[in-house]
Amino acid sequence: MEHVPPPAEELALLDRELAELDARRAQLLTRRTWLLAALRPPAPAAAPGWNPSGWGAPPGGPAQPWGYVPKRPSAPRGAQNVLLTLGGLLLTVAAVAFTLVSWGSMGIGGRSAVLAAVTLGALIAPAVLLRRGLAATAEALAALALVLTLLDVYAVHAVAAPDADGLGFTAVASAVLAALWSAYGLALGTLRLPLPAAVVLAQWPLLFWAWAAGAPALVVGWALLATAVLDGSIAVWGKGAGVRVTACVGGSAMGFSALMVGLALSTTASGPLGAAAPGALLLAAAAAALAGAWRASKGFARTGGVVAGLAAVAAVGGVPAAALPGGWRVLAYLLCGLALTGVVRAGVPRDAARGVLVASGAVVAGSLVWALPPLAAVLLGPVTLLSDVWAGSPEGFRSALGTTLPWSELAAAPVVLALVAGLLGAAYRWWPSVVRITAPLAAPRAADTGTPGAGLLGGPGAGAPGAAGAAAPWSGWSGWTTWSGAGAGAGRRPSAATLRGVAGAGAVALGWGAVLLAGALLDVPYALAVAGETALVGGLLVLAVRGAGGGRGAPAMPVTALVAAVAGAVSAGVLSLASEGASYAVFGALAALFAGAAVRAGAALPRAVFAVAAVVWGTVLTGLAGRSLGLAPQETAPLVLVAPALTVLLGARLRRNPVALPVELTGALGALVAVGLAVSDAPFLALVLALCGVLAAGAAVRPERRPVAGYLAAALFVLATWVRLAASEVSFPEAYTLPVTVPALVVGVLRRRRDPEASSWTAYGPGLAATLLPSMAVAWTDTDWLRPLLLGAAALVITLLGARYRLQALLLLGGAVLALDGLHELAPYVVQVAGALPRWLPPALAGLLLLVVGATYEQRLRDARRLREALGRMR
């Protein structure tokens, strides 16, 4: 049944499409205009003094498209600015050198006169120059005047007040200079340097005053905050972009420093009363940031909201946190962070409120990150049991984890996970109420999205599952929609169904983690821990199956349940390895649960995952059975092949079902495990390879598996034969291989007569390989001449027959064996010749060969293509 979106959503989608079409049309029209200009004949040369409208285009052609701007020579004004800047720098260097070097050779009167005259002249000159329109020169002299005033301050301290405290004098001097340059900049409003310089100087009076007075850290924090508030005021009401940018940078630095001071004092306080004073500083910083966000533009408003939210959490949460044990402090901050969500009803401007909500999310995320290490220890801790399987049931859950975490300090971790999971679950359950409450913040302006009325949480324009032809990558998983409008609109905002699914997924994952952590912290008995983890896997599978069976909404929650079920199953299975009975019970239950989930699931991909997991658990059960029977690893290998055999039978039953291939591939991996177990014992390895060949032959009965399984079965049978011959130390393998090769070739001839289009590899490949390859392996180590001679002659005949009848298998197999046999015979002589040659000759020959190949590369490439085509035409 095709999904039809509501009229409002469909209208929003149409608006997006029309906007894209308009943009594309404008681009094509621009390109068309340039092409028309390119097709016109070149205009005649312009007479001297004529200024055409197309001036600046390349000679003899139209103007370049796509925003091309021709280069022009540097304007005289630019060269003038460079000269003025260099002159100002040289004057500044001269003034500094004079003050530091020549100052001591003059008397007090001379010093005062020189400084007063030079500084006064540098301050007056810009005003005169501005009246004559020399703004650049005025800026250079203003910069010189700024440096001179700083030198004046240094000189006054060095001569007139040498005993004054340096920090206190610096505080007073920076305040006086800030006031002076503010008045100077306001009086000469055209200059761009004085007011930003005054802002920079205004950063230091309060800080140096607190430092000079030996004030405690809290007072320093208040001084930093007051300076940041002053900067914020300048940023809002200041004159000119340079002043506002300078104030923003200074306010950010001072505000961040104040927050760090308050946070450090709050987190190290000895009790609630000690945390109250830094909390007041943090609250004041939060109020200042929120006040700035109230009047700022979109980006700054959101940043201010984030800062205000984090500062408020640190301020309010730090007081109760100071009274709690170390492991429970995070809960105080988490509760304060969750309380920030009340901003949606506080009448705060939308962008600032969004910033506060981001701060709330950051606090929650930080709390969850704090709880992740113990959860990871619970999930990964049982891996230590792999080194000593069935060593005996431990007394408690923690004993099986093999970790030394301070569990007493992590008591709040499951509470944090459960609290956040409960809130996310409540949001998932009452999602319409969440949408209604957050509607004032969720509906962006038309300028934000390019679509009138576009909504973030499912309002008009939010998009709908399946809208605009969005295809579901998980076939059968209903409601798959990742982005609103299938990517048609600007911003690609997530739809309501996606956000609700994310909330449900978070609730599932965090709730599962909370239960696991609670069991570890309570140190429940081992049997209860194993049973509990297995039961949790069953519950997660129920959620995953319901989501995969056609439920409405985004698939985030069932996908999360599926991933958590697989992870929990692995953890529970490894945890059960401490006890033999627990291992059989857990892996048997897991195999049954995942098999049942595969039967009940409605979508192809989750059903395949369930079936693959069931096969894996069944394979583990067969390995456990071998250990219970006291079998060696190589003796257990044939028993492990039971699960691959069942997958072959199941694949024959499922036929072309999408689940069949993943299940059979998983069975093939189980067969590979069996081969690995038997590799240390050649007779058992031959048996296992033969059994794997039987399974592959059984799969090759089906037409859809025949192209791969048939070749695999033949290769496995041949390999099993070789291994068996090597294990029996047979020196004449031809006595065993030729009786197989002859009837196999006869069968191949009969096959080719019935089906001339059959491949030579299918007809003759297995029979020839059964003799040629083992004989080649023996001949390579044979010091006698008879076998290599006979093998080379046979390979030559086979190669010639393949070339004569255009049979690819005969040509390639015979040619390869003939080449290897010849190399074996020539190897001693090649070694002798190589030893007699000079050392420089082989590299020289190799280099010459490379040069020849490089020079005739194209010809060699054509020869290789012709050879490939000739081989491809063979059967």
Side-chain angles (χ1 to χ4, degrees):
M1 180 177 178
E2 185 178 0
H3 175 73
V4 179
E9 297 181 3
E10 186 175 4
L11 178 60
L13 295 175
L14 292 177
D15 288 341
R16 294 193 188 105
E17 295 291 341
L18 290 174
E20 291 183 355
L21 290 176
D22 290 340
R24 180 60 177 165
R25 184 174 183 274
Q27 183 181 9
L28 293 176
L29 288 175
T30 303
R31 182 63 176 173
R32 181 178 181 274
T33 302
W34 182 84
L35 291 174
L36 289 175
L39 293 175
R40 294 193 189 101
W50 182 49
N51 185 21
S53 60
W55 191 42
Q64 296 297 325
W66 318 117
Y68 170 80
V69 179
K71 294 182 178 180
R72 297 182 180 179
S74 299
R77 180 68 64 180
Q80 178 190 17
N81 291 335
V82 172
L83 294 176
L84 290 172
T85 302
L86 292 176
L89 289 176
L90 291 175
L91 287 175
T92 302
V93 171
V96 172
F98 169 76
T99 304
L100 297 178
V101 177
S102 301
W103 183 260
S105 62
M106 300 179 63
I108 186 64
R111 300 172 186 176
S112 302
V114 170
L115 278 177
V118 175
T119 305
L120 186 60
L123 289 173
I124 294 174
V128 177
L129 293 172
L130 287 176
R131 292 194 189 99
R132 298 189 178 185
L134 301 176
T137 308
E139 288 286 353
L141 288 179
L144 177 61
L146 174 61
V147 176
L148 287 174
T149 53
L150 296 177
L151 293 176
D152 289 340
V153 171
Y154 166 75
V156 169
H157 181 266
V159 176
D163 297 329
D165 179 61
L167 292 175
F169 185 86
T170 304
V172 174
S174 57
V176 172
L177 288 178
L180 171 65
W181 281 99
S182 297
Y184 187 75
L186 293 175
L188 302 178
T190 309
L191 294 179
R192 291 176 292 180
L193 179 62
L195 289 179
V199 174
V200 173
L201 291 169
Q203 307 301 309
W204 312 112
L206 292 178
L207 178 61
F208 281 116
W209 169 79
W211 196 355
L218 185 61
V219 176
V220 174
W222 280 106
L224 292 169
L225 180 59
T227 306
V229 171
L230 176 61
D231 289 329
S233 303
I234 297 173
V236 173
W237 291 290
K239 178 183 178 182
V243 174
R244 291 194 295 270
V245 170
T246 306
C248 284
V249 174
S252 300
M254 293 297 176
F256 178 78
S257 302
L259 288 174
M260 291 299 100
V261 171
L263 182 62
L265 294 175
S266 177
T267 54
T268 57
S270 58
L273 293 179
L281 173 62
L282 291 171
L283 273 181
L290 189 60
W294 208 288
R295 298 180 57 88
S297 58
K298 180 179 178 180
F300 289 103
R302 292 187 180 180
T303 304
V306 172
V307 174
L310 294 177
V313 169
V316 179
V319 176
L324 294 174
W328 290 92
R329 293 186 175 183
V330 66
L331 189 60
Y333 292 108
L334 175 61
L335 293 175
C336 294
L338 293 174
L340 289 180
T341 55
V343 74
V344 297
R345 291 297 187 184
V348 178
R350 182 179 57 194
D351 293 323
R354 287 181 174 179
V356 175
L357 291 180
V358 170
S360 174
V363 173
V364 174
S367 303
L368 296 179
V369 169
W370 173 81
L372 283 181
L375 179 59
V378 172
L379 290 175
L380 303 177
V383 175
T384 56
L385 298 175
L386 293 175
S387 60
D388 195 7
V389 178
W390 294 351
S393 301
E395 295 181 0
F397 193 5
R398 295 185 198 171
S399 302
L401 298 180
T403 182
T404 58
L405 286 177
W407 294 104
S408 59
E409 298 180 7
L410 300 172
V415 180
V416 168
L417 296 178
L419 179 60
V420 179
L423 292 176
L424 291 176
Y428 177 82
R429 174 64 179 83
W430 291 286
W431 187 253
S433 300
V434 174
V435 174
R436 185 177 63 256
I437 293 172
T438 58
L441 301 181
R445 305 182 187 94
D448 294 342
T449 61
T451 303
L456 177 64
L457 296 177
W474 288 36
S475 175
W477 200 308
S478 164
W480 176 273
T481 302
T482 305
W483 298 109
S484 170
R492 299 177 63 87
R493 297 183 181 276
S495 65
T498 300
L499 294 176
R500 184 182 186 185
V502 169
V508 170
L510 297 178
W512 169 62
V515 175
L516 290 179
L517 265 181
L521 286 167
L522 296 175
D523 198 16
V524 298
Y526 171 75
L528 181 59
V530 172
E533 286 204 31
T534 308
L536 282 177
V537 172
L540 292 170
L541 287 177
V542 171
L543 288 177
V545 169
R546 287 185 177 180
R552 297 182 61 83
M557 186 170 70
V559 169
T560 303
L562 173 59
V563 173
V566 173
V570 173
S571 179
V574 178
L575 182 64
S576 68
L577 293 178
S579 170
E580 182 177 3
S583 300
Y584 281 106
V586 170
F587 282 104
L590 291 177
L593 287 173
F594 279 88
V599 173
R600 298 289 298 175
L605 184 56
R607 187 164 63 244
V609 174
F610 295 143
V612 165
V615 172
V616 171
W617 311 140
T619 305
V620 174
L621 278 175
T622 58
L624 295 178
R627 184 178 179 85
S628 296
L629 295 174
L631 302 177
Q634 66 272 14
E635 296 172 339
T636 307
L639 190 61
V640 174
L641 291 176
V642 173
L646 294 177
T647 61
V648 172
L649 297 176
L650 185 59
R653 175 70 177 82
L654 296 174
R655 305 294 294 177
R656 297 185 181 274
N657 192 294
V659 179
L661 181 59
V663 167
E664 291 180 86
L665 290 177
T666 307
L669 291 177
L672 190 61
V673 172
V675 172
L677 291 174
V679 74
S680 60
D681 190 284
F684 270 98
L685 179 59
L687 174 62
V688 171
L689 289 173
L691 292 176
C692 291
V694 172
L695 296 180
V701 174
R702 298 157 52 196
E704 66 273 13
R705 298 286 183 262
R706 188 169 300 153
V708 176
Y711 291 116
L712 181 61
L716 288 172
F717 282 132
V718 172
L719 186 59
T721 303
W722 296 347
V723 173
R724 180 67 262 183
L725 293 176
S728 301
E729 298 182 355
V730 174
S731 58
F732 295 98
E734 293 81 5
Y736 299 90
T737 58
L738 284 175
V740 177
T741 295
V742 173
L745 293 177
V746 172
V747 172
V749 170
L750 297 176
R751 169 72 185 277
R752 291 274 296 175
R753 286 183 178 180
R754 292 179 55 189
D755 183 12
E757 297 298 324
S759 171
S760 61
W761 289 99
T762 304
Y764 307 121
L768 291 175
T771 295
L772 289 178
L773 298 183
S775 298
M776 185 68 250
V778 176
W780 193 260
T781 58
D782 194 353
T783 58
D784 198 4
W785 60 272
L786 182 59
R787 175 179 279 108
L789 177 62
L790 295 176
L791 179 62
L796 177 61
V797 171
I798 293 172
T799 304
L800 294 176
L801 290 174
R804 171 66 179 81
Y805 294 103
R806 305 180 64 81
L807 298 175
Q808 191 181 97
L810 275 68
L811 180 63
L812 294 182
L813 278 176
V817 173
L818 182 60
L820 292 174
D821 188 66
L823 180 62
H824 172 265
E825 295 302 309
L826 293 176
Y829 305 102
V830 172
V831 171
Q832 292 179 5
V833 172
L837 292 175
R839 294 294 181 90
W840 58 267
L841 188 58
L845 293 176
L848 181 61
L849 177 62
L850 291 177
L851 288 176
V852 173
V853 173
T856 60
Y857 175 75
E858 296 295 335
Q859 181 63 36
R860 303 286 79 77
L861 192 60
R862 286 193 292 269
D863 294 342
R865 287 172 180 168
R866 284 197 294 269
L867 178 61
R868 185 186 64 183
E869 293 171 358
L871 289 175
R873 288 192 294 269
M874 293 182 177
R875 297 302 301 171

